[in-house]
């Protein structure tokens, strides 16, 4: 099995048959058919390995499969809530130019097709179409088992370096199989991370996480406190400012002197972080200002989550870091038979 690092990229110019004499051909499970799982699958196949991609959804694309559905618990506290994978909102356009969102072997170029989105920062549907085109071009779907969720991954005790994978099909059928290696590509924008707020259990308003934000309409005429300052917070605050009565953005990055009106909007204000919230509906900010709010919307990011993975403590998530990992991919004690593709946050994921 090669030990080369697979960040989301592929090198082959055209679809390739398996290499004639791989060093050793392994049976490899890839978990997830988003961008990371798709590119991992073709790289492994090119090296001559046999690959099975497990995908719990019914199509490729992961995050880029938009759904108007939201989870049963909009803040994401209830572990038994109905789960939705994608965190996309309807208005989302990419925040990277398409030139930075294509695999090297298959650039994300604008299509000469009136139904496609030729913009440099296209809408989310265009990214899904790109990933579907990529899948077709490299015949990746023949490797994917759709509607099959991996529920358990653990080392086989009797045989070192073998992995036992239990999966569950949507039909309810369970299966347990042995693989030589596992690559985890399950994404990290699904499990909400929320801000800790003093007094929140007494506060009477509604709370939700941006994972469950789709369209602005539910915020019509509401006073909204939105927490966060990253890409989703910026997009969503602007989206809802069109219909909400007031939007108050609270962010750790806002210092006292920068708080105040948000230019270009007469119903949006910037604040430092929330200090506390109270029974009467007030939300106090750290600079002493306060508002009476209807909703707190947490645009506060996500947690790594591998509910299926058992490594006897060798790989852990601590303070939202996965480790120990070599180059964010291989846990040294289990390499190369266990690896993670697509973990880093502040990157161009496809390059
Ligand atoms: P995902 O796309 O999340 O795919 C993971 C797959 O694993 C899913 O299909 C899921 O169903 C499957 N899965 C999970 N658990 C299991 C299991 N137990 N069994 C079987 N299958 C499982 N990136 C950019 O480059 N440009 C952007 O503009 C951009 N905008 C973004 C906007 C938002 C709101 C979000 C949330 C992300 C954005 N990203 C952007 C980052 C985006 O996540 C990456 O582009 C890329 O989609 C990540 O791919 P992935 O394969 O790692 O994960």
């Amino acid at each position: 099995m090669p030990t080369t690092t697979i960040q989301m990229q592929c090198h082959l110019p055209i679809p390739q048959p398996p290499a004639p004499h791989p060093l050793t051909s392994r049976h490899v499970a890839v978990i997830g058919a988003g961008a990371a799982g798709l590119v991992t699958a073709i790289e492994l196949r090119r090296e001559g390995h046999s690959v099975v991609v497990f995908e719990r959804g019914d199509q490729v694309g992961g995050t880029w499969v938009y759904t108007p559905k939201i989870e049963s618990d909009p803040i994401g506290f209830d572990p038994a809530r109905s789960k939705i994978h994608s965190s996309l909102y309807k208005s989302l356009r990419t925040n990277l130019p398409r030139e930075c969102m294509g695999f090297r072997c298959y650039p994300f170029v604008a299509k000469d097709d009136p139904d496609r989105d030729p913009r440099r920062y296209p809408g989310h549907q265009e990214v899904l179409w790109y990933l579907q085109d990529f899948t077709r071009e490299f015949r990746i779907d023949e490797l994917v088992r759709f509607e099959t969720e991996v529920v358990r991954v653990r080392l086989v005790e009797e045989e070192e370096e073998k992995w036992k994978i239990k999966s569950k099909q949507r039909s309810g059928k369970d299966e347990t199989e042995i693989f030589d290696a596992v690559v985890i590509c399950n994404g990290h924008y699904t499990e909400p991370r929320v801000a800790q707020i003093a007094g929140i259990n007494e506060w009477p308003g509604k709370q939700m996480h941006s994972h469950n934000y789709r369209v602005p309409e539910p915020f019509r005429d509401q006073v909204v406190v939105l927490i966060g300052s990253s890409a989703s917070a910026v997009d969503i605050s602007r989206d809802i400012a069109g219909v909400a009565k007031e939007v108050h953005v609270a962010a750790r990055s806002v210092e006292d002197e920068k708080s105040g009106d948000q230019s270009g909007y007469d119903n949006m204000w910037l604040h430092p972080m929330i200090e506390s919230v109270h029974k009467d509906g007030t939300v106090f900010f750290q600079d002493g200002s306060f508002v009476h709010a209807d909703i707190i919307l947490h645009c506060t990011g996500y947690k790594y989550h591998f509910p299926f993975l058992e490594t006897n403590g060798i790989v852990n998530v601590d303070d939202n870091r996965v480790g120990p990992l070599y180059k964010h991919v291989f846990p040294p004690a289990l390499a190369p038979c266990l690896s993670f593709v697509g973990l880093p946050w502040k990157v161009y994921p496809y390059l």
Side-chain angles (χ1 to χ4, degrees):
M1 168 119 193
T3 53
T4 43
T5 300
I6 309 163
Q7 290 293 1
M8 282 197 228
Q9 53 180 294
C10 62
H11 305 285
L12 59 170
I14 46 166
Q16 297 283 314
H21 300 294
L23 213 53
T24 312
S25 178
R26 306 282 191 187
H27 190 41
V28 186
V30 174
I31 304 175
L38 295 173
V39 79
T40 298
I42 61 167
E43 287 290 338
L44 289 167
R45 183 176 61 186
R46 183 172 67 95
E47 293 291 329
H49 301 295
S50 76
V51 182
V52 175
V53 182
F54 292 90
E55 171 51 57
R56 66 181 169 192
D58 59 6
Q59 55 177 306
V60 301
T63 284
W64 298 98
V65 180
Y66 171 79
T67 171
K69 289 189 199 142
I70 60 168
E71 297 184 346
S72 49
D73 175 12
I75 185 74
F77 287 149
D78 179 4
R81 68 192 184 278
S82 61
K83 299 259 178 103
I84 301 285
H85 184 78
S86 178
S87 301
L88 290 192
Y89 30 94
K90 194 171 181 192
S91 63
L92 186 134
R93 287 176 61 184
T94 65
N95 60 1
L96 293 175
R98 62 193 311 144
E99 292 86 341
C100 298
M101 286 189 62
F103 299 118
R104 285 187 200 159
C105 60
Y106 195 73
F108 186 14
V109 290
K111 294 268 180 188
D112 187 16
D113 175 342
D115 295 333
R116 297 290 287 255
D117 181 347
R119 292 175 295 181
R120 200 161 184 214
Y121 294 82
H124 57 81
Q125 177 65 59
E126 179 67 15
V127 183
L128 179 63
W129 280 333
Y130 164 75
L131 291 173
Q132 290 171 343
D133 292 343
F134 175 70
T135 302
R136 252 190 313 277
E137 176 75 18
F138 291 91
R139 301 188 314 274
I140 309 170
D141 6 13
E142 61 198 38
L143 305 176
V144 186
R145 287 193 208 157
F146 291 105
E147 301 193 336
T148 308
E149 177 170 8
V150 170
V151 292
R152 197 170 187 201
V153 173
R154 67 188 173 101
L155 272 168
V156 176
E157 276 157 27
E158 317 78 63
E159 255 185 294
E160 271 183 26
E161 299 192 352
K162 296 264 181 207
W163 292 85
K164 195 179 261 188
I165 295 206
K166 184 173 175 191
S167 62
K168 199 176 177 95
Q169 292 175 17
R170 195 162 288 175
S171 61
K173 191 178 157 218
D174 287 353
E175 201 167 354
T176 300
E177 293 155 274
I178 305 294
F179 286 85
D180 299 313
V182 184
V183 189
I184 299 179
C185 307
N186 67 330
H188 51 79
Y189 290 97
T190 295
E191 195 65 22
R193 198 154 61 130
V194 297
Q196 301 300 313
I197 302 173
I200 198 67
N201 294 335
E202 305 274 294
W203 189 71
K206 264 178 68 176
Q207 289 191 81
M208 71 180 275
H209 189 275
S210 55
H211 175 58
N212 289 302
Y213 174 79
R214 298 292 180 269
V215 289
E217 197 48 42
F219 296 86
R220 181 167 294 280
D221 302 328
Q222 302 286 294
V223 176
V224 184
V225 172
L226 181 150
I227 308 173
S229 58
S230 64
S232 295
V234 172
D235 280 353
I236 295 173
S237 59
R238 291 174 184 176
D239 230 11
I240 59 180
V243 299
K245 187 169 167 201
E246 296 174 13
V247 181
H248 297 271
V249 179
R252 277 193 302 222
S253 54
V254 175
E255 293 146 23
D256 285 358
E257 60 269 24
K258 278 197 259 156
S259 53
D261 296 359
Q262 176 72 301
S263 63
Y265 296 87
D266 57 9
N267 65 343
M268 187 163 17
W269 294 268
L270 279 180
H271 301 269
M273 256 312 282
I274 296 174
E275 178 69 30
S276 59
V277 295
H278 301 269
K279 265 197 248 182
D280 62 357
T282 46
V283 174
F284 275 85
F285 300 99
Q286 283 170 349
D287 60 359
S289 62
F290 65 92
V291 293
H292 284 84
D294 302 303
I295 303 179
I296 295 178
L297 174 51
H298 298 247
C299 299
T300 39
Y302 295 87
K303 294 189 269 197
Y304 290 109
H305 192 53
F306 310 103
F308 47 80
L309 183 61
E310 293 173 23
T311 62
N312 299 327
I314 294 175
V315 182
N316 291 298
V317 181
D318 181 21
D319 197 15
N320 218 24
R321 279 172 301 200
V322 187
L325 293 181
Y326 175 69
K327 298 218 170 185
H328 308 287
V329 178
F330 294 106
L334 298 170
C337 297
L338 180 69
S339 55
F340 297 79
V341 175
L343 286 187
W345 298 99
K346 302 260 175 189
V347 291
Y348 295 89
Y350 297 74
L351 293 180

